[in-house]
Amino acid sequence: MLITEELFAAFVNCETKSFLKVTGTNGDRREVLDWQRRILDDYKQKCCLRLQVNCPKNECFLGSPSLEELRNNKYRLVIECVLQAEGIQSPIHALERLVSASTKHKPYIPIRFVPSQKITKHDKLLLAFDAFAISMVLGKVPPFGRIIHAEEQKIVKIGLSGLMKSARAIVESIAAQLSSQTPPQLILNKHCVECEFQQRCRQIAIEKDELSLLSRMTEKERKKQHAKGIQSVTQLSYTFRPRRKPKRLAGQPEKHNNALQALAIREHKIHIVGKPELKLVGGASVFIDAEGIPDRDFYYLIGLRIATGGPVVQRSYWANEPREEKEIWMSCLRMLGTIKSPQLIHYGNYETIFLKRMNERYGSTDESRAFINELIANSVNLLSVIYGHIYFPTYSNGLKEISKYLGFAWSDNTASGLQSLSWRSQWEFSKDAGIKEKLITYNAEDCEALERVTNTIVGLYDRSESDKAVHSGDATVVNIDSMKREYPQRFGTIDFAIPELAAINKAAYWDYQHNKIYVRSSARLNRAVKRKSNTSGRVSRPNKTIDCLPPSCCRNCKVTKFYKHGSYTKIVYDLQFGRSSIKR
């Protein structure tokens, strides 16, 4: 089977995905993936037209020329060329012959088209795979490659020396996977959100109770747990031990505990560590959620959900183009200015960065800057309140997962951050009012879900002040301080969960007691032990004494007068070598 660009890209993201593609497993059709392919195809056409303009027609070839023509450097530009050699096939976006090179050696360099504003390591590895295919076919390693990206079609030169080593190692790993036909270990990762096999892999992981279901579980910690024999989330849950925090560490923030997260999932209960610091000023709570395009640093939608004690007010501010970003921000500020003591509540650092950037870009007056700084200072990041203190019975602390546990549901089941980027791209292409309404609804429902989680945490915080174990609706909430700690009860009678274990534990001491009593009561063994102790401590007597005479004078200051303060001795053991032995 050929190692293609698609297989290479799949292996870089996930070994399981690569294996599923090799075996011909069909994944779910994803609207996001279809749209990304369409965007890439349109971008390729634009870039190819630009390259063809700067190249004479007789030196430009569209398709795959013969190997002889490539080796003779017949064409200056080759577009949509497929190279194949020794089990490797790569559909190269474009090949360009270096004009400035010497007449004897004019290598071809690969060119890739990337629609996004920012170039990732994944894009560079794919360029290195193209260069690897060129080296296999033509026998010449390209000195560098180029990536054309962004709407402005920026050209970036990429060095390939280090990337080629990585690409070659990945190709070797894929070849080993093809030869073994053994499925790799299923490990969920960050790529799952955009993978067509997401539902399949997640279902298998839930059935196997894989540790990778826990989003905070790193690869290093997972391997450490596997070395201990812990293979599942349920097994990990039994390793949690409630411990009191030392006084010297009382001021440090709580760390996330994966074992406690697993315990919350196993018992299907919310667990609280310490006291969550939810500082509400008592004014109007404003739940804010911003949508943007990270590649372009452009924010196109701001959602506000205002709760003042009366009817809840929802506001949405939409920007068609980047130049309208300032307008929607100013409209948002005017709305916040009409509220008495507003306090912004958001989920994660995305909105914090958004507020700071808006202040830098559009904070024209000192008064507006002071108002924005006050909003940022009084804002509450709900995720930081949850982190390390509140453990919901969910595999992650994502807003959607926690909100779904609390009974909230989005009107569109496919709604997600990645899907919103696809919707925005589709809207820019078609200007469809239905897609715009989808985005505004998704943003408003995010604000509503944020309000649901906030109200739940406020209820937990108020009740945890008085109760060690509280109930919120149908979900039991457990405070860690109320759990029985095992460390103080280590000594004493052990209360076994299974009665038969008590007899087994008692029998474990039989041989120990038998040997102990036997040694003490046996006169023959006592004599043997005493004889052994006497022989082991015997010191050989010296048979020769050497007196070291004092020096005639000090070798440093040449003084001849010495004062004696004591004498020192040392025993040195000599070795006598025989024909077949060495003795002291």
Short mmCIF file of all heavy atoms in Angstrom, two decimals, residues 118-166:
data_model
loop_
_atom_site.label_atom_id
_atom_site.label_comp_id
_atom_site.label_asym_id
_atom_site.label_seq_id
_atom_site.Cartn_x
_atom_site.Cartn_y
_atom_site.Cartn_z
N LYS A 118 -2.05 31.79 9.57
CA LYS A 118 -0.85 31.37 10.28
C LYS A 118 -0.41 29.99 9.80
O LYS A 118 -1.24 29.12 9.55
CB LYS A 118 -1.10 31.34 11.79
CG LYS A 118 -1.45 32.72 12.36
CD LYS A 118 -1.72 32.66 13.85
CE LYS A 118 -2.10 34.04 14.40
NZ LYS A 118 -2.39 34.00 15.85
N ILE A 119 0.89 29.81 9.71
CA ILE A 119 1.46 28.53 9.28
C ILE A 119 1.76 27.69 10.53
O ILE A 119 2.42 28.16 11.46
CB ILE A 119 2.74 28.76 8.47
CG1 ILE A 119 2.44 29.58 7.22
CG2 ILE A 119 3.37 27.43 8.07
CD1 ILE A 119 3.67 29.99 6.45
N THR A 120 1.29 26.46 10.53
CA THR A 120 1.50 25.57 11.66
C THR A 120 2.63 24.58 11.37
O THR A 120 3.11 24.46 10.22
CB THR A 120 0.21 24.79 11.98
OG1 THR A 120 -0.12 23.96 10.85
CG2 THR A 120 -0.93 25.75 12.26
N LYS A 121 3.04 23.85 12.40
CA LYS A 121 4.06 22.82 12.22
C LYS A 121 3.55 21.70 11.32
O LYS A 121 4.32 21.09 10.57
CB LYS A 121 4.46 22.26 13.59
CG LYS A 121 5.60 21.27 13.53
CD LYS A 121 5.98 20.77 14.90
CE LYS A 121 7.14 19.77 14.81
NZ LYS A 121 7.53 19.26 16.15
N HIS A 122 2.25 21.47 11.38
CA HIS A 122 1.64 20.45 10.52
C HIS A 122 1.82 20.81 9.05
O HIS A 122 2.13 19.94 8.22
CB HIS A 122 0.16 20.32 10.88
CG HIS A 122 -0.55 19.24 10.14
ND1 HIS A 122 -1.24 19.48 8.97
CD2 HIS A 122 -0.66 17.91 10.37
CE1 HIS A 122 -1.76 18.35 8.53
NE2 HIS A 122 -1.42 17.38 9.36
N ASP A 123 1.64 22.08 8.70
CA ASP A 123 1.84 22.52 7.31
C ASP A 123 3.29 22.34 6.87
O ASP A 123 3.57 21.93 5.74
CB ASP A 123 1.43 23.99 7.16
CG ASP A 123 -0.04 24.22 7.50
OD1 ASP A 123 -0.86 23.34 7.21
OD2 ASP A 123 -0.36 25.28 8.08
N LYS A 124 4.22 22.62 7.77
CA LYS A 124 5.64 22.48 7.43
C LYS A 124 6.02 21.01 7.23
O LYS A 124 6.83 20.69 6.35
CB LYS A 124 6.50 23.10 8.54
CG LYS A 124 6.33 24.61 8.68
CD LYS A 124 7.19 25.15 9.81
CE LYS A 124 7.01 26.66 9.96
NZ LYS A 124 7.84 27.21 11.07
N LEU A 125 5.43 20.11 8.04
CA LEU A 125 5.72 18.69 7.88
C LEU A 125 5.19 18.16 6.54
O LEU A 125 5.82 17.32 5.90
CB LEU A 125 5.11 17.90 9.03
CG LEU A 125 5.87 17.96 10.37
CD1 LEU A 125 5.09 17.26 11.47
CD2 LEU A 125 7.25 17.33 10.23
N LEU A 126 4.02 18.66 6.12
CA LEU A 126 3.49 18.25 4.82
C LEU A 126 4.39 18.75 3.69
O LEU A 126 4.59 18.05 2.68
CB LEU A 126 2.07 18.79 4.64
CG LEU A 126 0.99 18.12 5.51
CD1 LEU A 126 -0.35 18.81 5.30
CD2 LEU A 126 0.88 16.65 5.19
N LEU A 127 4.95 19.94 3.83
CA LEU A 127 5.91 20.45 2.84
C LEU A 127 7.16 19.57 2.83
O LEU A 127 7.71 19.28 1.75
CB LEU A 127 6.27 21.90 3.17
CG LEU A 127 7.25 22.59 2.22
CD1 LEU A 127 6.60 22.80 0.86
CD2 LEU A 127 7.72 23.92 2.81
N ALA A 128 7.60 19.13 4.01
CA ALA A 128 8.77 18.24 4.08
C ALA A 128 8.47 16.89 3.44
O ALA A 128 9.35 16.27 2.83
CB ALA A 128 9.19 18.05 5.53
N PHE A 129 7.22 16.41 3.56
CA PHE A 129 6.84 15.15 2.90
C PHE A 129 6.91 15.31 1.38
O PHE A 129 7.36 14.39 0.68
CB PHE A 129 5.44 14.75 3.34
CG PHE A 129 4.93 13.49 2.70
CD1 PHE A 129 5.44 12.26 3.08
CD2 PHE A 129 3.97 13.53 1.71
CE1 PHE A 129 4.99 11.08 2.49
CE2 PHE A 129 3.51 12.36 1.11
CZ PHE A 129 4.02 11.13 1.51
N ASP A 130 6.47 16.45 0.87
CA ASP A 130 6.61 16.72 -0.57
C ASP A 130 8.08 16.70 -0.98
O ASP A 130 8.45 16.13 -2.03
CB ASP A 130 6.00 18.08 -0.91
CG ASP A 130 4.49 18.09 -0.74
OD1 ASP A 130 3.89 17.00 -0.69
OD2 ASP A 130 3.91 19.19 -0.63
N ALA A 131 8.93 17.34 -0.17
CA ALA A 131 10.37 17.37 -0.49
C ALA A 131 10.96 15.96 -0.42
O ALA A 131 11.85 15.61 -1.22
CB ALA A 131 11.09 18.29 0.49
N PHE A 132 10.47 15.14 0.51
CA PHE A 132 10.96 13.76 0.62
C PHE A 132 10.60 12.97 -0.63
O PHE A 132 11.41 12.18 -1.14
CB PHE A 132 10.36 13.12 1.87
CG PHE A 132 10.85 11.73 2.13
CD1 PHE A 132 12.13 11.49 2.59
CD2 PHE A 132 10.02 10.64 1.89
CE1 PHE A 132 12.57 10.20 2.83
CE2 PHE A 132 10.45 9.35 2.12
CZ PHE A 132 11.74 9.12 2.60
N ALA A 133 9.38 13.18 -1.14
CA ALA A 133 8.97 12.50 -2.37
C ALA A 133 9.81 12.95 -3.56
O ALA A 133 10.19 12.15 -4.43
CB ALA A 133 7.49 12.77 -2.63
N ILE A 134 10.14 14.25 -3.61
CA ILE A 134 11.00 14.76 -4.70
C ILE A 134 12.37 14.11 -4.65
O ILE A 134 12.94 13.72 -5.68
CB ILE A 134 11.11 16.30 -4.60
CG1 ILE A 134 9.75 16.95 -4.85
CG2 ILE A 134 12.14 16.83 -5.59
CD1 ILE A 134 9.73 18.44 -4.59
N SER A 135 12.92 14.00 -3.45
CA SER A 135 14.25 13.39 -3.31
C SER A 135 14.24 11.91 -3.71
O SER A 135 15.23 11.40 -4.24
CB SER A 135 14.75 13.55 -1.88
OG SER A 135 13.93 12.82 -0.98
N MET A 136 13.13 11.22 -3.45
CA MET A 136 13.04 9.81 -3.81
C MET A 136 12.91 9.62 -5.33
O MET A 136 13.44 8.67 -5.89
CB MET A 136 11.84 9.17 -3.12
CG MET A 136 11.93 9.15 -1.59
SD MET A 136 13.25 8.08 -0.97
CE MET A 136 12.60 6.48 -1.39
N VAL A 137 12.22 10.56 -5.98
CA VAL A 137 11.99 10.43 -7.43
C VAL A 137 13.18 10.95 -8.22
O VAL A 137 13.67 10.29 -9.15
CB VAL A 137 10.70 11.18 -7.82
CG1 VAL A 137 10.53 11.20 -9.34
CG2 VAL A 137 9.48 10.54 -7.17
N LEU A 138 13.66 12.14 -7.89
CA LEU A 138 14.72 12.79 -8.68
C LEU A 138 16.11 12.56 -8.12
O LEU A 138 17.09 12.88 -8.79
CB LEU A 138 14.44 14.30 -8.76
CG LEU A 138 13.10 14.70 -9.39
CD1 LEU A 138 12.95 16.22 -9.40
CD2 LEU A 138 12.96 14.14 -10.81
N GLY A 139 16.19 12.06 -6.90
CA GLY A 139 17.50 11.82 -6.31
C GLY A 139 18.19 13.07 -5.82
O GLY A 139 19.38 13.04 -5.51
N LYS A 140 17.48 14.18 -5.77
CA LYS A 140 18.04 15.45 -5.31
C LYS A 140 17.16 16.02 -4.20
O LYS A 140 15.94 16.10 -4.36
CB LYS A 140 18.14 16.46 -6.46
CG LYS A 140 19.00 15.99 -7.62
CD LYS A 140 18.94 16.97 -8.76
CE LYS A 140 19.76 16.49 -9.95
NZ LYS A 140 19.67 17.42 -11.12
N VAL A 141 17.78 16.39 -3.10
CA VAL A 141 17.05 16.95 -1.97
C VAL A 141 16.86 18.45 -2.18
O VAL A 141 17.85 19.18 -2.36
CB VAL A 141 17.79 16.69 -0.65
CG1 VAL A 141 17.02 17.28 0.53
CG2 VAL A 141 18.02 15.20 -0.44
N PRO A 142 15.64 18.95 -2.17
CA PRO A 142 15.42 20.40 -2.33
C PRO A 142 16.07 21.17 -1.17
O PRO A 142 15.95 20.76 -0.01
CB PRO A 142 13.89 20.54 -2.31
CG PRO A 142 13.37 19.19 -2.64
CD PRO A 142 14.36 18.22 -2.10
N PRO A 143 16.74 22.26 -1.44
CA PRO A 143 17.39 23.02 -0.36
C PRO A 143 16.38 23.70 0.56
O PRO A 143 16.66 23.92 1.75
CB PRO A 143 18.24 24.04 -1.11
CG PRO A 143 17.57 24.20 -2.45
CD PRO A 143 16.98 22.86 -2.77
N PHE A 144 15.22 24.03 0.02
CA PHE A 144 14.18 24.67 0.83
C PHE A 144 12.85 24.52 0.09
O PHE A 144 12.77 23.95 -1.00
CB PHE A 144 14.50 26.16 1.07
CG PHE A 144 14.62 26.98 -0.20
CD1 PHE A 144 13.51 27.60 -0.76
CD2 PHE A 144 15.85 27.13 -0.82
CE1 PHE A 144 13.62 28.34 -1.93
CE2 PHE A 144 15.97 27.88 -1.99
CZ PHE A 144 14.85 28.47 -2.55
N GLY A 145 11.79 25.01 0.70
CA GLY A 145 10.47 25.00 0.09
C GLY A 145 9.76 26.31 0.36
O GLY A 145 10.27 27.16 1.10
N ARG A 146 8.60 26.48 -0.24
CA ARG A 146 7.82 27.71 -0.05
C ARG A 146 6.38 27.36 0.31
O ARG A 146 5.83 26.36 -0.17
CB ARG A 146 7.85 28.57 -1.31
CG ARG A 146 9.20 29.20 -1.62
CD ARG A 146 9.08 30.30 -2.66
NE ARG A 146 10.36 30.94 -2.93
CZ ARG A 146 11.10 30.72 -4.00
NH1 ARG A 146 10.67 29.88 -4.93
NH2 ARG A 146 12.25 31.34 -4.18
N ILE A 147 5.79 28.20 1.15
CA ILE A 147 4.38 28.10 1.51
C ILE A 147 3.71 29.43 1.18
O ILE A 147 4.18 30.48 1.63
CB ILE A 147 4.19 27.75 3.00
CG1 ILE A 147 4.66 26.33 3.29
CG2 ILE A 147 2.71 27.89 3.40
CD1 ILE A 147 4.49 25.90 4.73
N ILE A 148 2.66 29.37 0.39
CA ILE A 148 1.85 30.55 0.08
C ILE A 148 0.58 30.47 0.93
O ILE A 148 -0.15 29.48 0.86
CB ILE A 148 1.50 30.60 -1.42
CG1 ILE A 148 2.78 30.62 -2.27
CG2 ILE A 148 0.64 31.82 -1.73
CD1 ILE A 148 2.54 30.61 -3.76
N HIS A 149 0.35 31.50 1.74
CA HIS A 149 -0.77 31.43 2.69
C HIS A 149 -1.45 32.78 2.80
O HIS A 149 -0.97 33.80 2.29
CB HIS A 149 -0.27 30.97 4.06
CG HIS A 149 0.54 32.00 4.79
ND1 HIS A 149 0.06 32.71 5.85
CD2 HIS A 149 1.80 32.46 4.57
CE1 HIS A 149 0.99 33.54 6.29
NE2 HIS A 149 2.06 33.41 5.52
N ALA A 150 -2.61 32.77 3.49
CA ALA A 150 -3.41 33.95 3.80
C ALA A 150 -4.09 34.50 2.54
O ALA A 150 -3.78 34.11 1.41
CB ALA A 150 -2.57 35.03 4.47
N GLU A 151 -5.01 35.40 2.76
CA GLU A 151 -5.75 36.00 1.64
C GLU A 151 -4.83 36.81 0.74
O GLU A 151 -5.05 36.90 -0.47
CB GLU A 151 -6.86 36.90 2.19
CG GLU A 151 -7.98 36.14 2.89
CD GLU A 151 -9.09 37.07 3.35
OE1 GLU A 151 -8.97 38.29 3.11
OE2 GLU A 151 -10.05 36.58 3.95
N GLU A 152 -3.79 37.41 1.34
CA GLU A 152 -2.86 38.22 0.55
C GLU A 152 -1.86 37.37 -0.23
O GLU A 152 -1.03 37.92 -0.95
CB GLU A 152 -2.09 39.18 1.47
CG GLU A 152 -2.97 40.12 2.28
CD GLU A 152 -3.48 39.45 3.55
OE1 GLU A 152 -3.09 38.27 3.80
OE2 GLU A 152 -4.26 40.06 4.29
N GLN A 153 -1.92 36.03 -0.07
CA GLN A 153 -1.01 35.10 -0.73
C GLN A 153 0.45 35.44 -0.42
O GLN A 153 1.28 35.65 -1.30
CB GLN A 153 -1.26 35.08 -2.25
CG GLN A 153 -2.65 34.59 -2.63
CD GLN A 153 -2.84 34.48 -4.12
OE1 GLN A 153 -1.89 34.54 -4.90
NE2 GLN A 153 -4.09 34.31 -4.57
N LYS A 154 0.74 35.47 0.86
CA LYS A 154 2.10 35.74 1.32
C LYS A 154 2.97 34.52 1.04
O LYS A 154 2.55 33.39 1.21
CB LYS A 154 2.11 36.05 2.81
CG LYS A 154 1.24 37.23 3.21
CD LYS A 154 1.22 37.39 4.71
CE LYS A 154 0.28 38.51 5.15
NZ LYS A 154 0.22 38.62 6.63
N ILE A 155 4.20 34.77 0.63
CA ILE A 155 5.15 33.70 0.32
C ILE A 155 6.18 33.62 1.44
O ILE A 155 6.84 34.61 1.77
CB ILE A 155 5.85 33.95 -1.02
CG1 ILE A 155 4.81 34.04 -2.15
CG2 ILE A 155 6.85 32.84 -1.32
CD1 ILE A 155 5.41 34.37 -3.50
N VAL A 156 6.31 32.43 2.04
CA VAL A 156 7.25 32.22 3.14
C VAL A 156 8.22 31.12 2.74
O VAL A 156 7.82 30.04 2.27
CB VAL A 156 6.50 31.83 4.44
CG1 VAL A 156 7.49 31.59 5.57
CG2 VAL A 156 5.51 32.91 4.83
N LYS A 157 9.50 31.38 2.93
CA LYS A 157 10.54 30.40 2.64
C LYS A 157 10.76 29.51 3.86
O LYS A 157 10.96 30.01 4.97
CB LYS A 157 11.83 31.12 2.25
CG LYS A 157 12.99 30.20 1.89
CD LYS A 157 14.21 31.03 1.50
CE LYS A 157 15.40 30.14 1.21
NZ LYS A 157 16.60 30.94 0.84
N ILE A 158 10.74 28.18 3.68
CA ILE A 158 10.85 27.23 4.79
C ILE A 158 12.09 26.37 4.58
O ILE A 158 12.24 25.71 3.54
CB ILE A 158 9.60 26.32 4.88
CG1 ILE A 158 8.33 27.17 4.98
CG2 ILE A 158 9.72 25.38 6.06
CD1 ILE A 158 8.21 28.00 6.22
N GLY A 159 12.99 26.37 5.56
CA GLY A 159 14.15 25.47 5.51
C GLY A 159 13.73 24.04 5.78
O GLY A 159 12.84 23.78 6.60
N LEU A 160 14.35 23.08 5.11
CA LEU A 160 13.89 21.69 5.16
C LEU A 160 14.88 20.73 5.80
O LEU A 160 14.60 19.53 5.87
CB LEU A 160 13.60 21.20 3.73
CG LEU A 160 12.46 21.93 2.99
CD1 LEU A 160 12.41 21.45 1.54
CD2 LEU A 160 11.14 21.69 3.68
N SER A 161 16.01 21.20 6.29
CA SER A 161 17.03 20.27 6.80
C SER A 161 16.51 19.47 8.00
O SER A 161 16.58 18.24 8.02
CB SER A 161 18.29 21.05 7.18
OG SER A 161 17.97 22.06 8.13
N GLY A 162 15.98 20.16 9.00
CA GLY A 162 15.47 19.46 10.18
C GLY A 162 14.13 18.79 9.93
O GLY A 162 13.86 17.71 10.47
N LEU A 163 13.28 19.42 9.11
CA LEU A 163 11.96 18.85 8.85
C LEU A 163 12.05 17.55 8.05
O LEU A 163 11.21 16.65 8.21
CB LEU A 163 11.11 19.87 8.08
CG LEU A 163 10.70 21.13 8.86
CD1 LEU A 163 10.07 22.15 7.93
CD2 LEU A 163 9.73 20.77 9.98
N MET A 164 13.05 17.43 7.19
CA MET A 164 13.20 16.21 6.39
C MET A 164 13.48 15.00 7.29
O MET A 164 13.00 13.89 7.03
CB MET A 164 14.33 16.39 5.38
CG MET A 164 13.99 17.28 4.21
SD MET A 164 12.97 16.43 2.99
CE MET A 164 14.18 15.35 2.25
N LYS A 165 14.25 15.20 8.36
CA LYS A 165 14.52 14.09 9.29
C LYS A 165 13.23 13.64 9.97
O LYS A 165 12.99 12.44 10.11
CB LYS A 165 15.55 14.54 10.33
CG LYS A 165 16.92 14.87 9.76
CD LYS A 165 17.87 15.32 10.85
CE LYS A 165 19.23 15.69 10.28
NZ LYS A 165 20.16 16.18 11.34
N SER A 166 12.41 14.60 10.38
CA SER A 166 11.14 14.25 11.01
C SER A 166 10.22 13.55 10.03
O SER A 166 9.56 12.55 10.37
CB SER A 166 10.47 15.52 11.55
OG SER A 166 11.29 16.18 12.49
#
